[in-house]
Amino acid sequence: MLARLCLVLLVFVLAVPANAEHYFVRNQNEYAHALTQIEAGDVIILANGEWRDFELVITGEGRPGAPITVISEEAGKVFLTGQSSLRIGGEHILVTGLVFKDGYSPRGEVISFRRTKQDQARNSRVTEVVVDNFSKPDRYESDYWVGMYGSNNRFDHNHLVGKTNKGVTLAVRLDSEESRENGHLIDHNYFGPRPPLGSNGGETLRIGTSRYSMYNSNTTVENNVFDRTSGEVEIISSKSGENIFRGNLFLRAQGTLTLRHGDGNLVERNVFLGYGENHTGGIRVINRHQTVRGNYLEGLRGKAFSSALAVMNGVPNSPVNRYVEVDGAVIEHNTIVDSRRVAFNVGADEERSAPPLNSVFANNLLSGLEGESFVERYDDTSGIAFSDNRVLIGDVDEALLGFVQAPAEMQRAENGLLYPLDPALAQVGAPRDLEVLSLDSVGVKWYPKPGQEIAFGESGREISVAPGDGSLATALLSAEAGDVLVLEPGDYIVDRTMAIGSTIALRGKLVEGEELPRIMFARPTLFELRQGGNLQLKNLVIDGALTPDSVGNSMIRTTSFPIQSNMRIELDGVTVRDLMVNKSFNVLTLGKSAFANSISIRNSNFSNITGSIVSAAAETEDFGQYNVEYLDILDSNFAGIGGPIANIYRGGRDESTFGPYVKVLRNNLSDVGLAATNGTGGSIHLHGVQVAEIAENNVASSAPLRVVHTVGTPSTTISDNQFAETPDMLLEELNYDGPHRALLSGNVFAEGECE
Ligand code: CA
């Protein structure tokens, strides 16, 4: 508040000529009228309240110390909703105090530092603005939330949370001459959670593009927080020269700060804290004359492209959109602790055959995971001078010299970071005076930063449901996020499709001597998952005997409207039977543009079902998009299933994402996947899955396992399964010459029944 008062005082008192005006406007007409009057030093004040479908445009000639200002009556009380956006042209413009929510931009950007291609903003500032879940409804319709053009603009103390559609959250564009060497400052922003997109285009910040990467951008990115910004492998994609990334904090964020294109960038004094979460990474180095110094990285679990530090191989005479070799990199005085990987020559292959040149790697303090390989190299490292590096824990490739391997005691300092106690190590690793940004110091104070997602049952509220016709659907109408519907034993007839738009659990009550509650559904679909929907089913029987025949029957499906949220679906102790009314009746179907963060099936029984158990194969256009990040099928029984128990598809050659991950463990499959309508030909069909573990299953009289590897370095383990009267596995590689890379061990095929 104080800062805001100072800001207003500055505008009114200090800087403004005596004739400065202020215009208090209540609607879009009044705003448009004020816009025709404004001059340097004037202030337009937007009245508190909702401004629906407001395409706010501001332009004019402010002066140093006398900007043209658009400000809310009170910070955080002016809401731009519906189809709204902000465009800024002219110079010395200041915009502050707005909240974008409950809608999305009808344009390619929510906030644009240009009014038109000709009128780009200069010396202008956007501060204390919130963009909250202002995503286009279609996950794969692209936009930027912020597009920076022009020169010497500042974007600071803003709050950007929950982008779920494709496209960079904040893009600095270099596509006109006046927007190069721009001197923009991006500081003290809160970049809040951005869930995995499931395709390329989920970067939080991008500066430049490959096409203009030979130009310098001279953009400074300083003291921002990137909290769970896990959209894809690049959190930041620097695609231009002479940028500075300094003092930023990366929290639990999957991916890395990537120096993707462009030369002469500086990465210093940043802090990365992964807390041991999957794919949390650090810094990836490509191109010439990059400096990486004084950074602190802890608890990172990424490897390969998402290593704590990845120094890549390049492509000889690289085209602008591929990988320029590392030349003249200086990587020194960094601390990397409790992290999985530091790697050189990352991406080395036939095309990326140029190792780093003229580079220095010195005075780094490194500590990996006990008993694991830690510092790796995949090609020639003679172009890197290694000296005075210390490795405390973890193995180092024995061809790498310049590392002293010995443990050392570490202690947390006042700043919360680990430093060695031994004074002899005082000059190794990150500087002592690093500061870890607090969440209070970024974004705005008047808008809450998001906590964790709502868990099933979190509200603590239980709604008891008695058996009967329609009782369940009626009870569901009164349920709110985190509630549990508790079903008494008996039969439930459901004659409408039940929409799930929040986090809802249905649990059967366990009563001694009574059967589990049974749900009979009389529509083609029992549950339809909508925006915000997460569903848990526990201790229930679901029977499809009353269901009418319809195209695309599915016990659970996603709405045909695009869903922005990443769903969670759990089945535990559930029996599903008699989904037989047509030839491909699925249990769970994820449609196009639907993305589940996790699907878990355990301790459940499925029988007499004509279709698939989990169908997550709607993204067939081979853009690298897919439907589910984590799928677990554990300790369950499948008998008489026409389709595969899991049909997972991620096509194309894009390398921007991490999943899907699939675990199929300790299940019994009998007569699975043999229906003529099963186009996959498998009892389990995994196409383009990045990490798969199929182990300790009993498979009898079923179609073969089918695993197709596409892009990247997929990891598939198939072990200790028993097969009877089931053909040998079908394993294919689409983009890799050589034998299939799946690890096979301990699989037993009953004698004499198969090849
Ligand atoms: Ca990318």
Side-chain angles (χ1 to χ4, degrees):
M1 248 343 187
L2 200 60
R4 182 180 168 82
L5 279 174
C6 291
L7 183 77
V8 173
L9 284 174
L10 268 175
V11 169
F12 280 110
V13 180
L14 296 178
V16 175
N19 58 350
E21 297 282 349
H22 64 275
Y23 301 89
F24 185 85
V25 297
R26 289 171 195 80
N27 56 49
Q28 294 191 36
N29 284 338
E30 290 182 12
Y31 179 83
H33 182 70
L35 198 60
T36 62
Q37 317 279 311
I38 50 168
E39 295 175 4
D42 289 353
V43 180
I44 303 179
I45 302 163
L46 304 182
N48 286 351
E50 182 178 357
W51 293 66
R52 201 171 172 77
D53 301 334
F54 186 17
E55 296 210 42
L56 175 58
V57 177
I58 179 76
T59 187
E61 301 297 314
R63 290 196 304 272
I68 293 169
T69 300
V70 176
I71 191 168
S72 57
E73 181 182 354
E74 287 176 82
K77 295 195 175 168
V78 170
F79 301 98
L80 277 75
T81 64
Q83 310 271 291
S84 294
S85 65
L86 165 63
R87 280 178 290 154
I88 302 167
E91 65 177 327
H92 294 287
I93 307 283
L94 170 63
V95 179
T96 187
L98 312 179
V99 177
F100 288 89
K101 63 176 224 177
D102 299 332
Y104 57 95
S105 171
R107 302 178 161 270
E109 284 146 349
V110 179
I111 298 171
S112 180
F113 282 81
R114 69 178 186 190
R115 186 176 60 89
T116 62
K117 274 193 170 142
Q118 290 71 38
D119 185 11
Q120 306 196 6
R122 286 156 291 136
N123 301 303
S124 292
R125 180 178 179 197
V126 172
T127 186
E128 297 205 28
V129 168
V130 170
V131 184
D132 181 4
N133 286 281
F134 211 66
S135 299
K136 287 195 195 293
D138 182 343
R139 175 181 293 274
Y140 295 117
E141 193 181 340
S142 184
D143 68 359
Y144 304 143
W145 273 9
V146 183
M148 290 187 82
Y149 303 84
S151 59
N152 298 312
N153 295 315
R154 184 176 179 200
F155 187 78
D156 67 284
H157 294 90
N158 299 294
H159 171 117
L160 306 175
V161 170
K163 191 169 198 288
T164 50
N165 66 315
K166 190 169 180 161
V168 179
T169 308
L170 191 169
V172 176
R173 302 302 312 274
L174 272 60
D175 56 353
S176 66
E177 220 177 299
E178 65 252 59
S179 58
R180 296 169 197 154
E181 302 192 10
N182 51 58
H184 296 325
L185 178 58
I186 298 166
D187 66 285
H188 294 94
N189 297 292
Y190 176 70
F191 294 98
R194 175 155 196 192
L197 178 64
S199 88
N200 192 11
E203 302 88 348
T204 292
L205 171 61
R206 193 187 69 208
I207 305 178
T209 54
S210 59
R211 188 167 167 195
Y212 302 103
S213 59
M214 66 294 291
Y215 297 105
N216 289 336
S217 186
N218 299 59
T219 299
T220 299
V221 178
E222 199 168 59
N223 298 327
N224 300 282
V225 171
F226 296 84
D227 178 14
R228 293 165 277 168
T229 47
S230 300
E232 62 143 285
V233 295
E234 297 171 302
I235 304 166
I236 296 178
S237 186
S238 181
K239 296 186 167 179
S240 49
E242 302 280 342
N243 297 310
I244 296 172
F245 302 92
R246 183 191 290 132
N248 301 289
L249 172 63
F250 298 81
L251 276 177
R252 303 174 198 270
Q254 296 182 11
T256 64
L257 191 176
T258 304
L259 302 175
R260 183 67 187 83
H261 299 297
D263 304 329
N265 295 288
L266 172 62
V267 179
E268 68 173 355
R269 300 177 67 85
N270 300 285
V271 175
F272 294 75
L273 302 176
Y275 294 99
E277 293 190 13
N278 273 342
H279 307 302
T280 46
I283 301 159
R284 184 154 64 106
V285 180
I286 309 156
N287 308 287
R288 307 180 191 96
H289 307 297
Q290 315 285 28
T291 301
V292 177
R293 67 183 180 211
N295 299 285
Y296 181 96
L297 306 93
E298 182 179 351
L300 305 176
R301 291 295 178 270
K303 53 187 183 178
F305 279 28
S306 283
S307 298
L309 179 70
V311 179
M312 286 193 69
N313 254 22
V315 176
N317 303 309
S318 177
V320 70
N321 65 340
R322 293 301 291 160
Y323 291 82
V324 172
E325 63 207 333
V326 171
D327 189 347
V330 176
I331 302 170
E332 59 185 14
H333 292 291
N334 300 289
T335 294
I336 298 176
V337 288
D338 182 32
S339 292
R340 174 154 283 144
R341 187 79 77 244
V342 170
F344 301 94
N345 320 102
V346 170
D349 59 16
E350 251 172 50
E351 184 205 16
R352 288 181 290 228
S353 62
L357 299 171
N358 307 313
S359 295
V360 171
F361 189 89
N363 292 299
N364 297 292
L365 182 69
L366 308 171
S367 190
L369 304 179
E370 198 74 54
E372 285 194 25
S373 173
F374 174 39
V375 184
E376 297 189 350
R377 61 159 219 168
Y378 314 115
D379 195 357
D380 179 19
T381 48
S382 61
I384 305 174
F386 294 94
S387 65
D388 303 311
N389 299 294
R390 178 72 173 258
V391 176
L392 310 184
I393 297 172
D395 298 340
V396 178
D397 185 302
E398 54 192 32
L400 287 168
L401 305 175
F403 294 86
V404 174
Q405 290 179 254
E409 205 177 331
M410 303 282 279
Q411 195 173 45
R412 282 203 191 273
E414 291 238 319
N415 63 4
L417 307 180
L418 290 165
Y419 292 92
L421 280 176
D422 183 354
L425 292 173
Q427 297 309 310
V428 184
R432 301 261 166 181
D433 63 349
L434 276 184
E435 277 180 49
V436 183
L437 283 175
S438 71
L439 288 181
D440 289 344
S441 66
V442 296
V444 298
K445 294 205 173 17
W446 41 261
Y447 204 87
K449 295 185 171 74
Q452 302 294 320
E453 60 190 9
I454 296 173
F456 291 114
E458 186 176 305
S459 71
R461 213 158 72 108
E462 295 195 343
I463 300 169
S464 182
V465 192
D469 287 15
S471 61
L472 181 55
T474 304
L476 184 64
L477 293 176
S478 66
E480 293 172 5
D483 287 356
V484 179
L485 300 183
V486 179
L487 281 66
E488 301 288 333
D491 278 355
Y492 295 77
I493 313 291
V494 179
D495 62 358
R496 73 193 89 160
T497 297
M498 293 189 285
I500 303 294
S502 64
T503 300
I504 298 293
L506 272 70
R507 298 178 187 164
K509 190 168 178 181
L510 300 172
V511 179
E512 183 94 36
E514 298 263 14
E515 310 250 322
L516 290 177
R518 181 172 69 159
I519 299 173
M520 312 274 292
F521 61 114
R523 298 294 304 151
T525 293
L526 177 58
F527 297 106
E528 183 179 272
L529 287 158
R530 298 187 178 170
Q531 174 71 22
N534 300 299
L535 179 63
Q536 183 192 61
L537 302 175
K538 209 166 174 175
N539 302 328
L540 295 167
V541 175
I542 300 177
D543 189 319
L546 300 181
T547 305
D549 184 9
S550 165
V551 175
N553 278 54
S554 187
M555 184 182 104
I556 307 171
R557 66 162 49 255
T558 53
T559 167
S560 57
F561 296 100
I563 301 178
Q564 297 168 294
S565 55
N566 287 8
M567 296 167 291
R568 286 168 285 143
I569 301 150
E570 294 181 15
L571 275 65
D572 185 358
V574 174
T575 293
V576 180
R577 60 190 181 215
D578 296 331
L579 308 186
M580 302 284 283
V581 71
N582 64 26
K583 286 179 178 156
S584 57
F585 196 154
N586 294 341
V587 172
L588 168 60
T589 309
L590 298 177
K592 272 194 86 58
S593 284
F595 189 81
N597 200 45
S598 66
I599 299 172
S600 155
I601 295 175
R602 56 187 73 210
N603 309 315
S604 292
N605 300 293
F606 300 83
S607 60
N608 298 330
I609 293 168
T610 55
S612 309
I613 305 302
V614 176
S615 174
E619 301 292 355
T620 52
E621 286 157 335
D622 289 353
F623 295 147
Q625 298 160 355
Y626 54 97
N627 290 126
V628 59
E629 189 77 357
Y630 291 94
L631 169 65
D632 289 353
I633 300 180
L634 313 176
D635 304 301
S636 295
N637 300 306
F638 302 88
I641 313 296
I645 65 167
N647 182 18
I648 313 298
Y649 189 92
R650 167 188 162 166
R653 298 198 57 178
D654 183 74
E655 293 180 79
S656 305
T657 50
F658 297 108
Y661 282 76
V662 175
K663 275 186 193 167
V664 180
L665 309 177
R666 301 179 300 274
N667 302 287
N668 296 305
L669 282 68
S670 167
D671 182 17
V672 173
L674 297 173
T677 45
N678 177 12
T680 74
S683 53
I684 297 173
H685 176 237
L686 308 182
H687 182 111
V689 168
Q690 292 297 295
V691 180
E693 187 185 357
I694 302 173
E696 297 179 54
N697 300 287
N698 289 308
V699 183
S701 306
S702 291
L705 302 190
R706 186 161 171 227
V707 179
V708 182
H709 281 174
T710 59
V711 76
T713 50
S715 158
T716 299
T717 307
I718 304 175
S719 61
D720 303 317
N721 299 288
Q722 307 266 352
F723 297 92
E725 293 179 49
T726 296
D728 205 353
M729 297 171 239
L730 300 172
L731 306 176
E732 298 161 51
E733 290 280 357
L734 294 188
N735 297 313
Y736 173 80
D737 292 332
H740 198 272
R741 290 170 286 176
L743 300 174
L744 307 179
S745 69
N747 297 300
V748 177
F749 284 84
E751 211 165 293
E753 283 155 338
C754 286
E755 62 265 55

